[in-house]
Amino acid sequence: MSSRGRVLGRVAAGTLALALGVTLSACSTGPAPATKLDPDADVTITWWTGQADQAQTILKGLAEEFEKEHPNVTIEMSSGAPSTEDLLQKLSSSFAGNTYPDISYAFGSWASELAGSGRTLDITDRVEGDADLDWEGFSGAARATAQPEGGATIGFPAVVDNISLIYNKTVFDAAGVDYPTEDWTWEDFRTAAAALTNPDTKTYGYGYSVSGSEETTWQFWPHLWQRGGEILDGDKATFDSAEGVEALTFLQSMAVDDASVYLDQTDTKFGQFFASDQIGMITSGPWMLYDLQKAGTKYGVVPLPGTDGDHTTISGADIWVLFDHKDPNREHWSYEFMKWLTAPEQDVRWNVVYGNLPLRESEVDSPEFQKQVAEMPGIEIMAANSANATIPRPTVPGYVKLSEAVGTAISQVLQGQAEPEAALKEAAEEATAALEDQ
């Protein structure tokens, strides 16, 4: 999914029951599967990219390059579904009909559901024993997403991002407020937001989504983590801890007491208002920089404010999932293709050229990334901020319902309709029940 639209599809609209009751056999169409590995045999692998337009064109060129280097390999690629959000439903249907691909793009929030389908390929041993892979070069959050619930590794990181603090220089200059620094605390942030807010000009210090979606929820997790809180303890929701209440109370103080937060009922208006100099600060990711450059907005980027020196952020890593067709040749070349595609030499021509963050820190000095820095200043700060993305979102069945429960609680509190402790307690009870139903 493009960096320009990643925020719209961070979690699927609902949890789909993947087809688990079908026989785990190879696809019913095409040639019979190989019984032993022959790397020189002709092989066809199917790849659902989840991409469109420029992104799909870039990936198509890379696939053709891989085919030229390996003439016995044919890659049948397509987007897989009308949109990235539709891929999970398409995969579910393909499991039932034994028409699933060898490789598919997937949002990280789908990882546990896909792993639970019984269709994914376990590449743990290959990853651990592959000295040429540089698996440790991927961020910890990205690696954890590809290994849902600490179990089998089911694929490779595909796209990584994180949220940083983006500030509007025009709004800051008009209010006479000093720009944020990398050493800011959340109290510094709150003070600046209040100083930037001007009811007469309808200018707000900060923008926050109260749609109740994952956009609402995932902005909250860094506040929780920086205070030492956790989302889960096993299969029990624990975000209603004292740390969670403290985190939500802080946001409540800004939204209700200070009235310094623009409360966005959608997921997109706060970004638009920031771009048009009506909001002083947002916490967002690299997908936002393209729009800001296009709008001509004067902006700057720093890491998220911190708590006691902890600037933990959140990463929305997506993955290339590999699927098992009981065919060693297809397994071999699916793995080799993804290893090749995610290597720095190719990633700078895919993620970096397209405007996403590089998958590995080693790519930061590449000419391709430096060109992006020149075109989208601040993306280098976001790349460095990957070091603060140390905690992955839970990759457990039931996360979608958990996210919805938390998002509803946050939205109610920030709009003055509930108190943090009671709202989070109710959300935690709903989330725990959803996890127990899985």
Side-chain angles (χ1 to χ4, degrees):
M1 188 175 180
S2 83
S3 59
R4 279 51 127 182
R6 282 175 55 75
V7 73
L8 301 180
R10 226 164 264 294
V11 172
T15 304
L16 293 174
L18 296 177
L20 304 180
V22 293
T23 302
L24 296 183
S25 61
C27 274
S28 58
T29 59
T35 57
K36 61 180 181 179
L37 176 61
D38 179 1
D40 296 322
D42 290 341
V43 64
T44 298
I45 57 176
T46 305
W47 182 27
W48 292 357
T49 66
Q51 309 297 317
D53 303 326
Q54 182 191 3
Q56 184 76 339
T57 299
I58 294 172
L59 291 176
K60 185 175 185 294
L62 289 167
E64 290 173 347
E65 183 177 329
F66 187 84
E67 288 175 326
K68 288 181 181 178
E69 293 181 9
H70 306 281
N72 63 309
V73 179
T74 299
I75 301 171
E76 292 185 348
M77 66 178 293
S78 69
S79 61
S83 71
T84 315
E85 289 83 352
D86 295 324
L87 267 176
L88 185 58
Q89 184 174 7
K90 181 67 176 295
L91 285 166
S92 179
S93 299
S94 72
F95 296 155
N98 279 334
T99 56
Y100 54 97
D102 294 280
I103 307 162
S104 179
Y105 190 90
F107 292 137
S109 54
W110 302 345
S112 283
E113 284 190 77
L114 293 173
S117 71
R119 299 292 190 174
T120 54
L121 183 65
D122 183 355
I123 60 172
T124 306
D125 290 343
R126 292 201 64 172
V127 164
E128 293 177 351
D130 193 339
D132 299 327
L133 175 59
D134 187 23
W135 184 253
E136 297 299 317
F138 297 119
S139 71
R143 296 196 309 272
T145 302
Q147 190 179 22
E149 301 180 72
T153 302
I154 64 171
F156 288 76
V159 174
V160 297
D161 57 27
N162 62 71
I163 57 174
S164 304
L165 174 59
I166 308 177
Y167 59 94
N168 186 305
K169 293 182 178 181
T170 299
V171 176
F172 270 78
D173 292 344
V177 178
D178 291 339
Y179 295 159
T181 72
E182 62 182 14
D183 298 320
W184 257 25
T185 67
W186 286 108
E187 286 303 325
D188 294 327
F189 175 79
R190 179 184 178 184
T191 299
L196 295 169
T197 300
N198 186 336
D200 294 336
T201 59
K202 296 182 179 180
T203 303
Y204 291 86
Y206 182 41
Y208 197 104
S209 169
V210 290
S211 67
S213 70
E214 174 70 358
E215 178 64 23
T216 302
T217 301
W218 94 315
Q219 295 277 356
F220 175 71
W221 295 143
H223 289 274
L224 173 71
W225 290 333
Q226 287 186 17
R227 289 169 168 81
E230 297 179 343
I231 300 173
L232 294 173
D233 182 4
D235 59 358
K236 178 179 173 59
T238 56
F239 53 75
D240 61 336
S241 62
E243 294 85 359
V245 173
E246 180 186 351
L248 188 51
T249 300
F250 171 79
L251 291 172
Q252 179 193 44
S253 68
M254 293 185 63
V256 178
D257 299 340
D258 302 348
S260 64
V261 184
Y262 172 73
L263 300 175
D264 185 2
Q265 300 292 337
T266 66
D267 276 337
T268 57
K269 286 185 178 179
F270 72 95
Q272 296 167 3
F273 289 161
F274 177 89
S276 60
D277 304 331
Q278 293 174 270
I279 294 176
M281 296 179 288
I282 58 174
T283 46
S284 191
W287 57 88
M288 192 71 206
L289 300 186
Y290 176 85
D291 293 334
L292 296 180
Q293 284 293 314
K294 189 175 180 180
T297 307
K298 296 179 181 179
Y299 69 89
V301 179
V302 293
L304 289 183
T307 302
D308 296 328
D310 184 346
H311 295 269
T312 299
T313 187
I314 185 168
S315 176
D318 295 334
I319 55 178
W320 297 116
V321 180
L322 276 59
F323 294 98
D324 189 358
H325 290 274
K326 309 302 180 185
D327 186 321
N329 291 341
R330 292 170 71 173
E331 294 173 11
H332 172 80
W333 285 110
S334 294
Y335 177 91
E336 290 298 323
F337 178 46
M338 285 297 104
K339 174 183 173 181
W340 179 86
L341 182 69
T342 59
E345 296 81 2
Q346 282 65 248
D347 192 53
V348 295
R349 296 186 288 144
W350 153 229
N351 275 313
V352 171
V353 165
Y354 193 61
N356 296 328
L357 295 183
L359 290 179
R360 292 181 177 86
E361 184 180 351
S362 61
E363 299 168 40
V364 168
D365 294 329
S366 68
E368 292 86 351
F369 186 70
Q370 292 307 311
K371 182 175 183 293
Q372 288 290 20
V373 171
E375 295 177 354
M376 295 191 295
I379 196 169
E380 76 281 8
I381 304 298
M382 293 179 172
N385 194 37
S386 294
N388 291 315
T390 56
I391 306 174
R393 285 180 301 173
T395 51
V396 296
Y399 178 79
V400 172
K401 290 185 178 179
L402 179 151
S403 174
E404 290 171 351
V406 178
T408 297
I410 296 169
S411 298
Q412 291 173 342
V413 169
L414 298 194
Q415 294 177 91
Q417 300 166 353
E419 290 300 316
E421 185 172 3
L424 286 178
K425 180 180 179 181
E426 181 179 349
E429 290 172 352
E430 291 180 17
T432 297
L435 294 169
E436 291 174 348
D437 287 342
Q438 299 301 313

